[in-house]
Amino acid sequence: MKRLPVTKFGLAALFSASVVFAQADGGPDGATMKETEAGIPVADPLVKEKCGTCHTGDDKGNLSRISWVRTTPEGWAQAIKRMVRLNGLSITPEESRAIVKSLSSSHGLAPEEARTVMYLPEKRTLDETNIPNETMRGACAACHSYAQPLSWRRSKLEWKQLQDLHVALYSQADAQYRRPAEDSEQPVGRDPKDKLTRGEYALTYLPKVAGLHTPEWAAWSARQRNPRLAGQWLVVASVPGKGRFIGELDVAPGKAADEFTTSATLRSLTDGGTISRSGTGIVYAGYSWRGSSKGNAAAKPDDLGSAAREAMWFAPDQQSAQGRWFWGDYQEFGYDVKLVRATAAPAILAVTPGPVKAGTKGVRLRILGHNLPASPTAADIDLGAGVAVTKIVSASPKELVVTADVAAGAASGQRDVAIAGAVLEQAYPVFHRIDYIKATPETALARLGGVKFPKGYQQFEAIGYENGLDGKPNTADDIAVGPVEADWAMQEFMSVYYDDDTKYVGALSPAAFFTPSTEGPNPQRRFGRNNYGEVWVVATARHEKDKFGKPLSARSYMVVTVPAYQKWDQPEVSR
């Protein structure tokens, strides 16, 4: 049995032979190991055939373990793989795919439950802000993302069995569970000498927030239907360092009711270049898209035509979607995508060039969309408070070009644009000044490689902000103006003196694209160390200055680490 590494997105084992048999015979705890909650029956004959050998059934149609958990397509695919490895399950790829489809529908997540953890299948690297307290961070997020447990819904007993399995397999998990919960999470009146542990607290918390039976799942079970996604969809996308894109996605029926083929054409709002992509997709549980697509042959790691995996969340009404199309050996590249179904009604997709400064006269704005009015008047176009259309330069169903004046006293903030009943919320910002910038991502990770293992790259951007009403930077009311031109450099992060990380970790291009160095010991470095290290990535604005006349600057903390020598992600499960 293999051990999982301690990584942010590591996946803990889901089942094991010992736990499966323990439930079948009552386990070492006897009656305490028996389910008291109602299970979700398994009706699919194939699931019963392939899983019923080890998972015992009852007269209500339940299968042990399976009937008391719900999860994502990735979760079920991982479980099947572990059954093959640990318990000798004999199953073909076709049968496995059919079971993942079936269980994702009958024992999956409701759209509302899945949406909060979509960043996990979308392979986003981010700082999780949804961890409720330090106790749960230590109990669940010390070894993998907090989205991993929240991608499952379990009965109380199943949460207990999962914790027991962690204790049996991973010594670090046992140590984490035994530590006392934070004082703020200790029950009132409990003996200070007998503190509640992290593990005990987690077993009281998780059944409340991720229990088996929820109103969301009950509602979705009743209204779940086949996805009817064929037709044309309008696309709005953005790629860090590459800008924004709009286009169309044509979706055609595939071999089954939940399978589709796709053809997309995207146009850059930066340089007007076009990108064509084609692919396939499967929709699980009526809303959860998993697919793949590719464009032209990719010559560079960040080429926009690269073969990509797709993870998207479709709204229950099947009229819109959002998600990520991503690629790279560490999924570091990707389009952030929003879709809306194309209809005969007009739709607004984007407004360029984007931010406009208060007091500007005659600014030219391009309003890009679908089925826009061919002969609008200035009165038909609402650009938001304090912004008035002065002239219509040109008009077509896909693009309106207008000039506008922005009042000097216009309030800073995002503007909605409305034309002929179509509205694009937060279409562009009006601002008075840029008070500060951020280098994004503010915390970054890159991986050495290029000899035996792949490199993990990183793209940075400088984003300008105006202070909000409170006049303070980095608060909730600040206004994101958008990308600003900047010069880029690396500086030493002083965690170890005289290690010269900036000299060895890699190179940062003028476009803020970081390419790491090769892996392996470097004889030119002190002690022959690898090329890993920590650096500041510093952005210096070319045009924006502070009140003292100095260029605005910001920095991002980047760790350049060793390759992922062994991956546990199993990317094939979502293809």
Side-chain angles (χ1 to χ4, degrees):
M1 185 178 299
K2 298 178 180 178
R3 292 175 62 87
L4 300 186
V6 181
T7 62
K8 185 174 183 182
F9 287 99
L11 295 175
L14 307 178
F15 302 113
S16 74
S18 60
V19 176
V20 169
F21 296 140
Q23 186 179 3
D25 63 11
D29 297 327
T32 62
M33 295 297 288
K34 294 180 180 179
E35 279 289 357
T36 59
E37 300 179 42
I40 301 173
V42 175
D44 189 329
L46 181 61
V47 178
K48 291 181 178 181
E49 175 191 348
K50 290 297 177 180
C51 305
T53 303
C54 295
H55 296 270
T56 57
D58 62 19
D59 56 2
K60 297 180 181 179
N62 297 316
L63 289 181
S64 63
R65 304 300 305 275
I66 294 173
S67 287
W68 283 271
V69 295
R70 296 188 287 114
T71 189
T72 61
E74 287 78 13
W76 284 122
Q78 293 281 355
I80 291 172
K81 285 182 173 290
R82 285 184 171 85
M83 294 302 96
V84 172
R85 292 176 176 177
L86 301 180
N87 293 346
L89 172 64
S90 176
I91 190 171
T92 67
E94 292 75 18
E95 291 170 335
S96 176
R97 285 192 287 269
I99 290 176
V100 170
K101 282 187 179 183
S102 176
L103 289 177
S104 296
S105 296
S106 64
H107 294 68
L109 299 185
E112 299 86 351
E113 295 170 328
R115 189 170 188 175
T116 60
V117 292
M118 274 299 295
Y119 62 88
L120 188 61
E122 290 172 353
K123 305 301 179 186
R124 298 183 186 273
T125 300
L126 48 75
D127 294 326
E128 294 183 297
T129 59
N130 57 342
I131 303 175
N133 51 55
E134 287 304 309
T135 296
M136 288 305 297
R137 183 186 300 276
C140 295
C143 299
H144 51 62
S145 76
Y146 190 60
Q148 177 60 26
L150 290 190
S151 295
W152 290 75
R153 297 296 184 271
R154 302 174 182 271
S155 67
K156 291 182 179 179
L157 177 58
E158 276 299 324
W159 283 118
K160 177 64 168 65
Q161 297 222 84
L162 179 69
Q163 190 175 104
D164 290 346
L165 179 62
H166 279 65
V167 170
L169 296 181
Y170 314 116
S171 59
Q172 68 268 32
D174 187 28
Q176 290 292 102
Y177 293 149
R178 289 177 181 272
R179 292 181 180 178
E182 300 296 314
D183 289 343
S184 57
E185 277 75 65
Q186 292 294 334
V188 176
R190 184 165 178 130
D191 186 349
K193 297 180 180 179
D194 182 28
K195 288 190 174 183
L196 190 73
T197 65
R198 287 177 174 174
E200 291 170 336
Y201 179 86
L203 291 181
T204 64
Y205 182 81
L206 287 171
K208 295 177 183 178
V209 300
L212 178 65
H213 298 286
T214 64
E216 294 82 6
W217 177 247
W220 185 243
S221 297
R223 65 185 293 213
Q224 189 177 147
R225 58 191 172 97
N226 285 334
R228 300 185 183 277
L229 306 182
Q232 187 180 69
W233 294 78
L234 307 176
V235 183
V236 177
S238 62
V239 181
K242 303 288 187 179
R244 295 186 294 164
F245 301 80
I246 62 170
E248 296 81 33
L249 174 72
D250 292 315
V251 179
K255 297 178 180 179
D258 53 5
E259 297 182 8
F260 302 90
T261 61
T262 62
S263 176
T265 301
L266 304 178
R267 179 160 55 97
S268 170
L269 299 185
T270 302
D271 59 17
T274 59
I275 303 162
S276 297
R277 302 185 63 85
S278 60
T280 60
I282 298 175
V283 177
Y284 297 93
Y287 70 91
S288 200
W289 176 285
R290 301 293 187 270
S292 61
S293 64
K294 61 181 179 180
N296 300 325
K300 299 184 298 182
D302 61 340
D303 270 356
L304 296 174
S306 299
R309 294 164 58 194
E310 301 174 349
M312 293 189 290
W313 181 95
F314 275 81
D317 63 2
Q318 299 182 9
Q319 297 300 305
S320 62
Q322 61 186 52
R324 186 170 184 250
W325 303 348
F326 53 91
W327 71 94
D329 287 287
Y330 299 99
Q331 298 93 38
E332 64 265 49
F333 305 110
Y335 297 85
D336 290 317
V337 175
K338 291 184 179 179
L339 308 180
V340 62
R341 192 185 287 274
T343 67
I348 305 171
L349 300 181
V351 176
T352 65
V356 294
K357 193 169 186 178
T360 304
K361 303 294 184 181
V363 61
R364 176 171 288 210
L365 297 176
R366 297 168 60 218
I367 304 170
L368 305 162
H370 170 78
N371 285 344
L372 298 175
S375 301
T377 65
D380 296 329
I381 304 172
D382 186 348
L383 297 179
V387 186
V389 175
T390 57
K391 180 182 178 182
I392 296 177
V393 178
S394 63
S396 70
K398 290 191 175 183
E399 178 176 300
L400 296 179
V401 180
V402 303
T403 59
D405 290 344
V406 186
S412 296
Q414 295 288 336
R415 295 299 193 271
D416 297 347
V417 173
I419 304 171
V423 178
L424 178 61
E425 296 181 346
Q426 301 186 36
Y428 68 98
V430 171
F431 72 102
H432 284 76
R433 61 191 170 277
I434 293 178
D435 292 309
Y436 68 96
I437 66 173
K438 286 184 179 180
T440 61
E442 293 184 83
T443 56
L445 178 71
R447 290 185 181 274
L448 304 170
V451 180
K452 292 186 176 181
F453 297 91
K455 293 176 182 277
Y457 303 87
Q458 185 61 259
Q459 175 71 58
F460 294 89
E461 284 187 308
I463 308 297
Y465 289 82
E466 181 177 347
N467 295 338
L469 291 176
D470 63 5
K472 300 177 181 178
N474 298 299
T475 57
D477 66 349
D478 292 355
I479 299 160
V481 177
V484 299
E485 294 183 354
D487 295 317
W488 294 86
M490 289 192 299
Q491 294 179 358
E492 194 75 19
F493 182 87
M494 298 300 292
S495 57
V496 177
Y497 290 103
Y498 309 116
D499 60 350
D500 296 325
D501 285 340
T502 57
K503 181 178 178 180
Y504 296 106
V505 295
L508 186 67
S509 78
F513 183 73
F514 177 75
T515 301
S517 295
T518 57
E519 80 271 31
N522 185 347
Q524 297 181 357
R525 196 171 192 186
R526 191 180 185 190
F527 308 125
R529 290 165 49 190
N530 211 317
N531 288 317
Y532 58 78
E534 301 164 278
V535 295
W536 291 115
V537 175
V538 182
T540 303
R542 294 177 182 170
H543 308 295
E544 287 72 30
K545 295 179 171 56
D546 62 18
K547 61 183 179 181
F548 302 107
K550 294 183 178 180
L552 295 175
S553 65
R555 60 186 184 179
S556 168
Y557 169 69
M558 180 170 63
V559 174
V560 183
T561 187
V562 297
Y565 293 115
Q566 188 158 11
K567 295 184 180 181
W568 301 90
D569 179 50
Q570 300 173 341
E572 69 276 8
V573 302
S574 58
R575 291 181 178 173

